[in-house]
Amino acid sequence: MLLRKEDDSPEPNVQTKRPLDPSTAVPLELKTTPGYYPGLHALKQQKFWDAATRKLVFDRVGSTPPIRFFTPAEAATMQAVVDRVLPQDDRTEATRIAILPGIDDRLFSNRIEGYRYEDMPSDQDAYRIAIKAIEAIAQKIHGTSFHNLETMKQEEILQSLHDEKPEAAEALLKAFNLKRFWSMLVSDCCAVYYAHPYAWDEIGFGGPAYPRGYMRLEGGEAEPWEVDEQRYDWLAPEDTISDRPQPTND
């Protein structure tokens, strides 16, 4: 249990979604670059990229595709889902990565893997079925839409899908392999997020090295344009199950 110091520090906000300082239980300040690599900005390396690479990377920053596949109601549900699968609550608003538009653009443009499992509908149908199921579960348990729920309640519903133990919508979810859908959902979120240069700054990736190339391929040494890791301690917010140990079947 976290114990707050008896001083004049701000009251810990148990409803905050931001990580906490482990010594004070106070939410950490929002960061333009979360992670352990302060000062790394991949975009500063743009003068070393060719024109095609530069355009590709900057389009990811400045050209957010419109929502064209999901309906407004579906988008509201999916935005809440994406926010829980890959939270960005420690980022400033200006540096949050638009994950949902990237997923929507893939589905609208029908960019698929080139194959389909026999126990899965199309990616588009799988998302629509899953959204109906998530809403049905939220309504049965809490009597409101998924996007209106508190973080913990949202995560408990998503955990039930991950564990293939939903408390409602069983008939809907029989239409596909739930484990495969969960894998697709997480994969889609990560694909959009980690293609963005702001995420590269977070994980210490200096960005593309074309045509310059990398110089230090051995020994784990940083390139001259990269920075050393500077770790700091933090705790997950109280209103989340994301850092709680989960049983495994191993």
Side-chain angles (χ1 to χ4, degrees), residues 86-104:
L86 218 165
Q88 301 184 65
D89 303 306
D90 53 349
R91 284 187 175 277
T92 57
E93 188 71 28
T95 61
R96 290 181 183 175
I97 298 169
I99 296 175
L100 181 61
I103 297 174
D104 182 276

Side-chain angles (χ1 to χ4, degrees), residues 9 15 17 33 66 91 172 205 240:
S9 58
Q15 297 300 322
K17 297 179 181 179
T33 306
R91 284 187 175 277
L172 273 172
F205 173 50
T240 181

